[in-house]
Amino acid sequence: IAGITQAPTSQILAAGRRMTLRCTQDMRHNAMYWYRQDLGLGLRLIHYSNTAGTTGKGEVPDGYSVSRANTDDFPLTLASAVPSQTSVYFCASSDERGNNEQFFGPGTRLTVL
Amino acid sequence: AQTVTQSQPEMSVQEAETVTLSCTYDTSESDYYLFWYKQPPSRQMILVIRQEAYKQQNATENRFSVNFQKAAKSFSLKISDSQLGDAAMYFCAYRSAFTDKLIFGTGTRLQVFP
């Protein structure tokens, strides 16, 4: 693994189903983030974690939950998916001791029908 | 709350020419960072250039440079000698010095014509 990986690459999901998007980084970054990207809206922050064991809400947290059991993994869960959650989801990480750059994963395209 | 505005949904440029993408932001803070990210059709988010607000000198990375006007809260990206591979969505982003969270603009789609 080099950088940030996300799984799955894409997914079609029936409304009402539960879904977990996976994110793993191997850079030992303390901070991790989940964004959603929608046409005309750019990227918006869903949840973040400054360090393992802590999480916080971003701009659009409703309908999503996260956990940060260790430094490397930051899964995003949709407990009961709705069509408005159709989007491209990006995971990112950063090291506050570094140059403030956030590194992004390749994204997951999620379609909720 | 901070906001980032990109007023140009689409721009186009001829290969080898120069193009400037606009970005303005709103903040009451004096210490922050500004970024330009490129998103090609592959969907990968790639950092193009970074500017620290406390630095007066405009950042430059090869063919990419910024015009940072702190008083006007403006942060435009200039691409010189445009190449076909520059075609992408470009996002401007703001980050406070006190948090790690990025605030993005809505993006500008750049087309490059041969």
Side-chain angles (χ1 to χ4, degrees), chain B residues 33-88:
Chain B
Y33 305 89
L34 297 164
F35 306 85
W36 278 99
Y37 279 88
K38 171 185 178 182
Q39 186 181 44
S42 67
R43 202 166 70 192
Q44 183 69 46
M45 293 288 287
I46 304 165
L47 180 65
V48 174
I49 200 165
R50 171 196 308 111
Q51 175 80 42
E52 291 87 348
Y54 63 84
K55 290 186 177 179
Q56 293 186 343
Q57 187 173 5
N58 289 324
T60 299
E61 290 286 343
N62 300 314
R63 297 183 295 106
F64 298 86
S65 62
V66 298
N67 184 5
F68 173 48
Q69 301 290 327
K70 191 172 184 179
K73 297 179 183 175
S74 171
F75 183 60
S76 59
L77 175 69
K78 186 172 82 170
I79 306 174
S80 304
D81 186 25
S82 297
Q83 300 175 359
L84 295 177
D86 295 335

Side-chain angles (χ1 to χ4, degrees), chain B residues 5-13 18-24 36-37 64-67 74-79 86 88-92 107-111:
Chain B
T5 301
Q6 293 179 251
S7 59
Q8 306 155 317
E10 292 190 359
M11 292 283 285
S12 61
V13 64
T18 295
V19 64
T20 298
L21 308 185
S22 300
C23 174
T24 58
W36 278 99
Y37 279 88
F64 298 86
S65 62
V66 298
N67 184 5
S74 171
F75 183 60
S76 59
L77 175 69
K78 186 172 82 170
I79 306 174
D86 295 335
M89 281 289 288
Y90 286 83
F91 291 97
C92 179
T108 296
R109 181 172 300 281
L110 178 66
Q111 293 181 302

Side-chain angles (χ1 to χ4, degrees), chain A residues 33 37 45 100 102 104 107, chain B residues 39 43-44 95 100-101:
Chain A
Y33 316 85
Q37 181 180 11
L45 183 66
N100 306 300
Q102 285 192 15
F104 285 80
Chain B
Q39 186 181 44
R43 202 166 70 192
Q44 183 69 46
R95 182 200 144 167
D100 293 331
K101 297 184 284 291

Side-chain angles (χ1 to χ4, degrees), chain A residues 36 45-47 57-65 77-78 82 84-85 89:
Chain A
R36 60 176 289 172
L45 183 66
I46 303 170
H47 284 288
K57 294 181 179 181
E59 181 184 354
V60 288
D62 294 343
Y64 306 94
S65 63
T77 297
L78 290 67
V82 295
S84 61
Q85 293 178 310
Y89 291 86

Side-chain angles (χ1 to χ4, degrees), chain A residues 41-90:
Chain A
L41 296 176
L43 282 78
R44 295 177 292 167
L45 183 66
I46 303 170
H47 284 288
Y48 65 94
S49 169
N50 289 329
T51 189
T54 69
T55 62
K57 294 181 179 181
E59 181 184 354
V60 288
D62 294 343
Y64 306 94
S65 63
V66 292
S67 61
R68 188 87 184 278
N70 56 61
T71 297
D72 298 344
D73 301 300
F74 190 43
L76 176 73
T77 297
L78 290 67
S80 179
V82 295
S84 61
Q85 293 178 310
T86 294
S87 187
V88 178
Y89 291 86
F90 286 96

Side-chain angles (χ1 to χ4, degrees), chain A residues 18-36:
Chain A
R18 180 184 180 90
M19 177 72 191
T20 295
L21 307 185
R22 300 185 297 279
C23 174
T24 300
Q25 53 105 356
D26 65 353
M27 298 175 283
R28 307 303 292 172
H29 285 170
N30 286 329
M32 297 187 74
Y33 316 85
W34 274 106
Y35 295 90
R36 60 176 289 172

